[in-house]
Amino acid sequence: MQSRTYTCPYRDHEIRIVGIEMLDGWHLAVQVKPAWKPAWPTWRDKQGCYEDFAEVQLAGMAWARRAIDERLPALSA
């Protein structure tokens, strides 16, 4: 088992995607930090399981961009 992290900027936010490899596949967690505020609570995809880290990265970026663009509240569920 291993974990990998990918970090990138998007619209004055820092997006950090963490993939954790488990026996059943890769699991996703995303943290978004606006430049001017504390980080949102970490969002975890509790239903998704991904084949590899590339899929984790794509899913995490899609979620983070949508959340930022739509100005969604930080999800805790």
Side-chain angles (χ1 to χ4, degrees), residues 1-4 18-22 25-29 53 56:
M1 293 192 297
Q2 64 176 324
S3 67
R4 292 185 61 186
V18 179
I20 302 168
E21 184 182 30
M22 304 294 275
W26 285 81
H27 294 262
L28 166 65
F53 185 71
V56 167

Side-chain angles (χ1 to χ4, degrees), residues 1-71:
M1 293 192 297
Q2 64 176 324
S3 67
R4 292 185 61 186
T5 303
Y6 174 77
T7 304
C8 71
Y10 181 74
R11 291 190 168 194
D12 295 333
H13 293 67
E14 179 180 279
I15 299 170
R16 177 171 292 190
I17 297 166
V18 179
I20 302 168
E21 184 182 30
M22 304 294 275
L23 295 175
D24 60 344
W26 285 81
H27 294 262
L28 166 65
V30 179
Q31 186 174 47
V32 177
K33 185 187 178 316
W36 60 94
K37 292 183 181 178
W40 297 356
T42 300
W43 176 77
R44 289 176 176 80
D45 184 353
K46 295 179 182 179
Q47 297 175 355
C49 187
Y50 302 90
E51 187 173 321
D52 56 24
F53 185 71
E55 285 186 4
V56 167
Q57 187 177 345
L58 289 172
M61 286 302 299
W63 181 87
R65 286 179 175 169
R66 186 173 58 247
I68 293 166
D69 290 345
E70 295 176 4
R71 291 174 170 67

